[in-house]
């Protein structure tokens, strides 16, 4: 699997039912108008799902009012509110993913503990710097539908693969003993999701840095790595 495989998004049906007309309007062509509409619906979804009543408490009319657009325009972009949630779930995961990928070139020549520390802190920063992202990724997505469960598990699998590749590279460099680290990676991702969920809903009183440090100790302890 390629190093950038995390960037490959899961296939989800979020296409709208209506194709907007061509031609320019107020200086923008159809593609530009559609991109603007989608941005406004995403912004409204982030606010409603991630900071307001949440996905289950959001009505379509209220979301459209927040976006300053009509329900007709919503159906040009999405079929249902769940389509918007699916779109946002992939988006907030991509933000965290890019944070990790961007740090890789700067740490590739450092020791394993330094690489893991930098990547983990980059992930937590990318996932939680906007509280709305964290709520969507770790709370609002849970138990919505079989489709959303599949998408969530596909994204988890991508992170598990990433950790597995990181372990394999460390083995090749003589930094870790050979072994199958997939089970450990799966358990660690489960710990991440559980801790982040409880932190988002207020059951864990800690700063973002404390969360990152705790996850780091879990990971380093499993792989018997000393800072």
């Amino acid at each position: 699997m390629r190093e950038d495989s995390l960037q490959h998004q899961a296939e989800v049906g979020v296409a709208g039912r209506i194709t907007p007309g061509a031609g320019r309007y107020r200086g923008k062509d159809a593609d530009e108008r559609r991109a603007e509409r989608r941005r406004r619906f995403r912004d409204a979804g982030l606010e409603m799902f991630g900071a307001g009543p949440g996905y289950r408490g959001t009505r379509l009319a209220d979301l459209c009012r927040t976006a300053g657009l009509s329900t007709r325009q919503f159906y040009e972009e999405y079929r249902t509110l769940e389509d918007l949630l699916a779109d946002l779930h992939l988006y907030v995961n991509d933000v965290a993913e890019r944070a990790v990928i961007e740090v890789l070139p700067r740490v590739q020549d450092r020791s394993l503990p330094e690489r893991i520390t930098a990547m983990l802190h980059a992930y937590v920063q990318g996932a939680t710097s906007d509280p709305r992202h964290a709520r969507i990724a770790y709370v609002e997505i849970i138990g919505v539908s079989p489709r959303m469960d599949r998408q969530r598990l596909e994204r988890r699998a991508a992170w598990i693969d990433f950790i597995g590749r990181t372990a394999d590279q460390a083995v090749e460099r003589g930094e870790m003993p050979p072994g199958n680290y997939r089970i450990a990676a799966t358990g660690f991702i489960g710990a991440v999701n559980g801790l982040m969920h409880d932190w988002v809903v207020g059951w864990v009183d800690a700063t973002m840095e404390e969360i990152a440090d705790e996850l780091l100790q879990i990971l380093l302890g499993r792989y018997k790595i000393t800072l």
Side-chain angles (χ1 to χ4, degrees):
M1 186 175 292
R2 298 181 308 169
E3 185 62 38
D4 63 351
S5 62
L6 274 179
Q7 294 177 317
H8 182 71
Q9 295 187 348
E11 292 293 331
V12 293
V14 295
R17 296 194 307 225
I18 301 171
T19 301
R24 300 190 70 83
Y25 176 72
R26 294 184 176 178
K28 297 181 179 180
D29 62 25
D31 288 341
E32 291 170 330
R33 295 197 303 274
R34 182 175 185 186
E36 172 67 13
R37 281 196 302 271
R38 183 158 288 224
R39 182 192 63 77
R40 290 170 66 175
F41 281 126
R42 281 176 171 168
D43 288 346
L46 279 174
E47 190 61 26
M48 299 293 286
F49 301 164
Y55 167 72
R56 292 167 179 80
T58 296
R59 299 185 307 170
L60 178 59
D62 294 333
L63 181 125
C64 291
R65 188 177 303 111
T66 300
L69 297 168
S70 68
T71 55
R72 176 188 62 79
Q73 289 170 310
F74 178 86
Y75 288 123
E76 289 176 351
E77 304 303 325
Y78 303 97
R79 292 189 299 267
T80 65
L81 283 175
E82 186 178 310
D83 283 340
L84 176 57
L85 178 65
D87 190 14
L88 287 173
H89 175 249
L90 292 178
Y91 166 72
V92 300
N93 268 271
D94 286 345
V95 170
E97 172 192 320
R98 286 195 299 271
V100 175
I101 290 173
E102 287 172 3
V103 82
L104 290 179
R106 301 198 298 269
V107 301
Q108 60 183 353
D109 295 327
R110 296 184 185 177
S111 68
L112 179 58
E114 290 176 317
R115 296 199 307 275
I116 290 177
T117 299
M119 287 187 288
L120 185 55
H121 278 263
Y123 170 79
V124 173
Q125 175 68 28
T128 65
S129 58
D130 187 330
R132 301 174 302 174
H133 288 201
R135 181 175 165 188
I136 288 171
Y138 301 110
V139 178
E140 295 300 318
I141 198 72
I142 303 297
V144 170
S145 69
R147 167 202 173 185
M148 295 308 302
D149 286 342
R150 286 193 302 272
Q151 178 171 305
R152 179 172 59 87
L153 292 175
E154 286 167 356
R155 296 300 289 185
R156 284 183 59 178
W159 284 110
I160 290 168
D161 289 342
F162 177 80
I163 294 174
R165 291 196 306 276
T166 300
D168 290 342
Q169 291 166 2
V171 170
E172 292 175 1
R173 294 166 69 158
E175 298 169 313
M176 289 171 54
N180 181 359
Y181 292 101
R182 186 172 182 82
I183 294 176
T186 302
F188 176 71
I189 292 299
V192 170
N193 282 279
L195 180 56
M196 297 296 279
H197 173 278
D198 289 1
W199 181 70
V200 170
V201 300
W203 295 345
V204 173
D205 183 12
T207 66
M208 180 183 67
E209 286 299 314
E210 289 172 334
I211 293 293
D213 287 340
E214 188 61 33
L215 290 172
L216 180 62
Q217 293 305 315
I218 293 173
L219 190 59
L220 295 179
R222 172 59 185 87
Y223 292 137
K224 299 179 176 60
I225 300 168
T226 302
L227 283 171

